[in-house]
Amino acid sequence: MEVWVSILLSICAASTPLLLAATGELVVERSGVLNLGVEGMMIIGAVTAFSVAQASGSVYGGAGAAIFAGAAFSLLFAFLTLTLVANQVATGLALTILGLGLSGMIGESFVGLPGLKLDAVAIPGLSGLPVVGPFFNQDPLFYTSIVLVVAVAWFLFQTKAGLTLRAVGDSHDSAHALGINVIAVRYFAIMFGGACAGLAGAYLSLVVVPQWTEGMTAGRGWIALALVVFASWRPWRVLLGAYLFGAITIAQFHAQATDASEFSHLPQWLFAIIAWATSLPAQFLTSLPYLATIVVLVLIAGNRRLTMINTPASLGKSFVPDR
Amino acid sequence: MILQLEKRPQASPLLSVLSPLLALLLTAAAGLIMFAILGKAPFSALYTYFIEPLTDPWMREQILVKATPLILIAVGLSICFRSSNWNIGAEGQYLMGGLFGAMLPVYFYELQSSLLLPAMLLMGMLGGALYAFVPAILKARFNTNEILSSLMLVYVAQQLVDWVVRGPWRDPGGFGFPGTRSFNESATLPKLWQYGDAHWGAVLAIVSALIMWFVLSKTLQGFKVTVIGTSPRAGRFAGFSAGRLTVVAFLVSGALAGLAGIGEVAGSVGKLDDKLSLGYGFSAIIVAFLGRLNPLGIVAAGLVLALSYIGGEAAQISLGISDRATRVFQGLLLFFVLACDTLIHYKISLTGLRQQKSQGAAG
């Protein structure tokens, strides 16, 4: 029992950064913009959170600074793609390349330093419950990620502003003709995505591994992008997808560290699978989340009806207002 | 004040040449600011980065060595990006090229044959092409996003190379260090001149750029690439198959990235080890855009990026500037290139808000 609770808690920790970043990107893509710079914004968030927490001694200060840094960094992308109508794919890549380089330079002096860890906060009343209690005694960013999904789902589908944002994403020309300021809506959406990615980065350097390592995002920003496609642009499915990927990550992690003989009491077929998985070289298991991403993308894209209905129709297209 | 864009009736030919140069100038200006922030003398740092390597014959040769894989990969990317096939997994294709090419000298270590080297190069191209075929066929057949699938395969390739050089292919006499045995002379690319580092890969890079330039600008196939890339609808009406082009573009691009990989393994290093993945596949994206997706422009752009690598090493040694600054430079350069490209298609003017409002009322 204890073991399973700790495994489930580690799945929460692996899923939360994916969920934060993917929820932000979902809003960006719903407004019709494809920002491939999630990985770059995330790592800028990670290095900012670590360094500000070091300097100020406050982990919350670090997390707040990461939100700000992610949003500020995303403005670079917004200015290029919205104001200068540069190609979104190329500019997103540029944001990732610059973010990885810049974070490496900023964080050079922090390598190897012990970081500050964001402590768990118990929710009064709920954390004392049997069985489910531990899930209400986690770090505040975990709660934030869940609240964020609820808030985004409500915003997109229950508010007028959310409807406006989706209209911009589905047909920027019609939205413009209705007097909506397409560019302004997209600026806000991109900054929201940047803030979320920054917070996701902060989660990595303040909770998952409280230290700074160069390139510590390790492709999570890209997986978050894939999750948005997987979720066919629906917030609740992002939650599902993020936890699915978190589970895969933890499963491969445990398979690398486990002695198969511990599981000999399990049914024979299950034991055989575990024995086989643990005998694989570590590199194969590490590849698993990336391979799973590809498989999921293929399955989702193969279902054309599903993707056609939900894909924001203006996704990735540049918009130049005619005066 | 607000920026306003006005579409030019035609792309400005003058600015298409000037925009990469302008981007370089802006990057240099940003570099001055960056060095000042880092507390280094800005102008002498910039000199160490971009001028000093050109004055030294040894460094000039290193630039050529560095530019070789960048040019090879970026030439392949030009056909992909022109046809809107976003292959950003060139790093993985480069690694697989190195892995496939190294297979021959690893398994037939004693083999001495003049055919060995050409066979290795072909194997490298095959490895890269096969690896690029995966995202291509997934896109053409299942409509899968090629950006994400090609990128995910980079991480997989890194793990695969890591496994072979630590596991089955590790040199038994290598004191446990990851890496294969050093190849025999018949399995290494000859140097261009005695006592030098530059190898025949550089020639392959130039030749492939020339061939690609010819194909893209002088043949019907090249025209198809442009049509499908700029207007997929027009391409369909003309009866060009976008799916087939996707596969072809990825195969060509993968093969060239694979050639770059085996070129590094057989030319520069002489064995397969765990340090093959240096991010050339990503830097080549910058090279491709800086060269404006023109293979001849890419040759020049590849040399510029290689200069930034070598200058970065020099600045690290003589001025103590972190080698990470090089990557920041490269990232900034791509931003400025993309920003300056806007000038080619649009006229930019600054308008005051009040003026804009009065225009709106009049119109």
Side-chain angles (χ1 to χ4, degrees):
Chain A
M1 196 65 213
E2 294 276 296
V3 179
W4 290 107
V5 170
S6 82
I7 287 179
L8 285 174
L9 286 175
S10 61
I11 289 175
C12 291
S15 311
T16 301
L18 297 177
L19 182 58
L20 286 168
T23 309
E25 177 68 12
L26 178 128
V27 173
V28 180
E29 293 191 17
R30 275 284 184 176
S31 81
V33 178
L34 179 65
N35 184 356
L36 292 180
V38 182
E39 181 89 358
M41 302 185 295
M42 210 167 164
I43 196 128
I44 287 290
V47 77
T48 307
F50 186 90
S51 56
V52 172
Q54 282 281 330
S56 68
S58 156
V59 270
Y60 288 98
I67 294 176
F68 183 77
F73 196 53
S74 74
L75 269 180
L76 262 179
F77 173 85
F79 178 72
L80 249 79
T81 55
L82 300 179
T83 305
L84 294 181
V85 291
N87 179 306
Q88 293 180 9
V89 174
T91 311
L93 284 173
L95 200 68
T96 290
I97 293 174
L98 184 64
L100 289 170
L102 207 56
S103 65
M105 197 164 81
I106 297 168
E108 205 172 13
S109 53
F110 305 137
V111 175
L113 288 182
L116 298 174
K117 191 172 161 63
L118 197 56
D119 287 324
V121 172
I123 295 187
L126 295 173
S127 60
L129 291 175
V131 188
V132 294
F135 297 100
F136 296 101
N137 187 16
Q138 297 194 59
D139 58 89
L141 294 190
F142 162 77
Y143 308 131
T144 309
S145 71
I146 306 292
V147 172
L148 192 70
V149 175
V150 179
V152 163
W154 172 78
F155 169 78
L156 282 178
F157 299 104
Q158 307 291 333
T159 68
K160 187 157 179 272
L163 182 66
T164 305
L165 184 129
R166 286 188 291 132
V168 167
D170 275 328
S171 171
H172 46 218
D173 290 323
S174 313
H176 177 64
L178 286 170
I180 296 169
N181 190 340
V182 172
I183 302 289
V185 169
R186 288 186 170 167
Y187 259 100
F188 281 116
I190 289 171
M191 281 172 69
F192 177 76
C196 291
L199 191 61
Y203 195 85
L204 295 177
S205 64
L206 295 179
V207 179
V208 178
V209 203
Q211 61 181 29
W212 165 253
T213 336
E214 201 173 348
M216 70 188 298
T217 41
R220 285 186 184 86
W222 294 102
I223 292 183
L225 276 160
L227 280 175
V228 179
V229 181
F230 166 81
S232 48
W233 295 271
R234 304 241 159 206
W236 291 106
R237 292 186 199 160
V238 168
L239 181 72
L240 179 77
Y243 275 78
L244 187 70
F245 271 86
I248 293 173
T249 311
I250 295 303
Q252 64 88 9
F253 194 68
H254 275 270
Q256 286 186 26
T258 313
D259 180 10
S261 60
E262 285 173 32
F263 293 91
S264 52
H265 59 283
L266 290 174
Q268 190 142 32
W269 62 271
L270 200 57
F271 174 65
I273 292 175
I274 292 172
W276 175 75
T278 48
S279 69
L280 287 173
Q283 290 92 342
F284 283 70
L285 295 165
T286 310
S287 306
L288 211 59
Y290 306 113
L291 287 171
T293 308
I294 298 175
V295 172
V296 160
L297 285 173
V298 172
L299 292 178
I300 293 294
N303 188 343
R304 274 174 205 259
R305 206 166 50 89
L306 187 75
T307 44
M308 288 289 268
I309 293 172
N310 290 309
T311 314
S314 294
L315 186 59
K317 293 189 186 132
S318 295
F319 173 71
V320 185
D322 51 340
R323 270 171 289 155
Chain B
M1 293 283 270
I2 197 162
L3 278 179
Q4 289 228 315
L5 300 186
E6 193 187 331
K7 187 134 183 125
R8 294 178 195 274
Q10 269 158 348
S12 158
L14 176 69
L15 280 167
S16 3
V17 178
L18 282 184
S19 86
L21 300 176
L22 184 61
L24 281 172
L25 274 180
L26 288 169
T27 310
L32 290 178
I33 298 169
M34 186 173 82
F35 291 131
I37 293 172
L38 289 174
K40 312 281 173 188
F43 285 96
S44 72
L46 208 62
Y47 178 83
T48 315
Y49 245 92
F50 291 108
I51 311 289
E52 201 179 82
L54 295 173
T55 61
D56 179 279
W58 183 81
M59 286 209 232
R60 276 205 298 266
E61 191 176 340
Q62 297 308 310
I63 291 171
L64 192 62
V65 174
K66 271 282 193 226
T68 299
L70 293 174
I71 293 172
L72 274 171
I73 300 171
V75 164
L77 291 179
S78 69
I79 183 175
C80 277
F81 293 172
R82 276 187 184 215
S83 58
S84 287
N85 286 300
W86 297 102
N87 175 16
I88 58 169
E91 182 79 5
Q93 294 140 26
Y94 160 91
L95 287 172
M96 291 309 270
L99 183 91
F100 265 61
M103 214 179 269
L104 295 176
V106 165
Y107 287 115
F108 306 99
Y109 185 69
E110 301 299 338
L111 190 70
Q112 302 274 348
S113 160
S114 56
L115 288 177
L116 179 59
L117 199 60
M120 282 167 64
L121 296 180
L122 284 177
M123 280 292 282
M125 293 173 78
L126 179 73
L130 280 178
Y131 211 59
F133 183 69
V134 178
I137 197 71
L138 291 181
K139 180 184 181 184
R141 263 293 168 81
F142 303 105
N143 201 21
T144 306
N145 183 318
E146 80 278 20
I147 301 171
L148 295 169
S149 59
S150 65
L151 188 96
M152 289 296 141
L153 287 172
V154 174
Y155 294 99
V156 177
Q158 283 171 341
Q159 295 297 325
L160 193 61
V161 170
D162 193 66
W163 174 63
V164 293
V165 299
R166 284 170 203 279
W169 290 7
R170 193 173 64 191
D171 178 6
F175 305 102
F177 285 109
T180 66
R181 283 195 276 185
S182 291
F183 300 163
N184 282 320
E185 205 183 318
S186 60
T188 43
L189 267 177
K191 305 288 179 200
L192 279 175
W193 43 78
Q194 227 182 346
Y195 310 119
D197 286 327
H199 54 80
W200 275 85
V203 177
L204 291 174
I206 307 285
V207 169
S208 62
L210 287 173
I211 295 174
M212 186 65 84
W213 172 78
F214 180 80
V215 171
L216 285 178
S217 56
K218 306 281 171 202
T219 66
L220 178 63
Q221 298 303 320
F223 181 64
K224 279 187 192 176
V225 171
T226 312
V227 170
I228 295 182
T230 44
S231 169
R233 221 168 111 81
R236 268 202 302 279
F237 286 135
F240 302 157
S241 159
R244 223 166 74 197
L245 179 62
T246 296
V247 173
V248 170
F250 265 89
L251 285 178
V252 170
S253 166
L256 286 172
L259 185 60
I262 186 59
E264 283 303 287
V265 169
S268 298
V269 190
K271 63 176 176 181
L272 182 68
D273 61 16
D274 61 340
K275 293 175 209 60
L276 184 59
S277 181
L278 292 169
Y280 290 147
F282 298 107
S283 298
I285 296 172
I286 306 172
V287 173
F289 280 107
L290 181 61
R292 308 221 62 250
L293 305 184
N294 177 329
L296 300 184
I298 283 171
V299 174
L303 290 168
V304 170
L305 262 268
L307 172 65
S308 76
Y309 274 112
I310 303 302
E313 284 172 18
Q316 190 184 13
I317 295 165
S318 61
L319 301 173
I321 294 173
S322 157
D323 58 337
R324 272 93 174 173
T326 308
R327 287 173 66 197
V328 176
F329 255 125
Q330 296 179 351
L332 285 173
L333 179 59
L334 182 52
F335 264 108
F336 285 123
V337 167
L338 295 170
C340 290
D341 270 7
T342 304
L343 295 173
I344 300 171
H345 299 287
Y346 296 93
K347 259 188 213 154
I348 298 184
S349 52
L350 282 171
T351 352
L353 271 177
R354 192 176 298 161
Q355 193 186 344
Q356 193 197 16
K357 272 195 187 129
S358 68
Q359 268 180 355

